[in-house]
Amino acid sequence: QAQLAESGGGSVQSGDSLRLSCAKSERPFSSHVMGWCKGPGKEFVAAIRWGRGTTYYADSVKGRFTISKDSAAYTVHLQMNNLKPADTDLYYCVVGSDLGLCQQPLRSFTWGQGTPVTVSS
């Protein structure tokens, strides 16, 4: 079964930046979506369609976060700029079939262990 290895979480001050990375052990399918969900409520943050590279963002992070992929390394990155205390949470990397990957169990295939992000004011 494919696995996800997350890295890049940490503790920063408000306004600082962090970069999360998620490496998949096997090549994702072109139609699949890789993204990030946060917290116990599995709130959607951002995602990227593996094949086309189309990106999707929650309204709360638009203009501050950027998701990208490294196709050769089967890795997605989440560049988080201008971080706010409200961004504090445990961030999970997820592979799924569509943008329901965070909230709808049948639309997610693989979850990472989570990486913590703490932003202090």
Side-chain angles (χ1 to χ4, degrees), residues 41-84:
K42 304 300 191 285
E43 180 182 343
F44 173 76
V45 178
I48 187 167
R49 182 79 61 181
W50 189 258
R52 293 192 172 191
T54 308
T55 57
Y56 309 90
Y57 298 95
D59 288 342
S60 61
V61 306
K62 283 180 181 177
R64 300 188 298 124
F65 292 10
T66 302
I67 191 168
S68 61
K69 66 183 178 85
D70 180 340
S71 298
Y74 310 156
T75 299
V76 294
H77 303 289
L78 184 67
Q79 179 66 41
M80 311 164 72
N81 296 332
N82 190 21
L83 282 160
K84 305 175 181 180

Side-chain angles (χ1 to χ4, degrees), residues 7 9 37-38 44 50 68 70 73 81 86 92 95 102 111 117:
S7 61
C37 316
K38 68 174 185 175
F44 173 76
W50 189 258
S68 61
D70 180 340
N81 296 332
Y92 298 93
V95 179
C102 293
W111 285 74
V117 171

Side-chain angles (χ1 to χ4, degrees), residues 12-33:
V12 297
Q13 299 286 321
S14 182
D16 286 349
S17 299
L18 280 174
R19 189 192 195 209
L20 305 184
S21 296
C22 174
K24 191 172 183 286
S25 59
E26 299 172 353
R27 184 183 182 279
F29 287 100
S30 295
S31 61
H32 284 180
V33 174

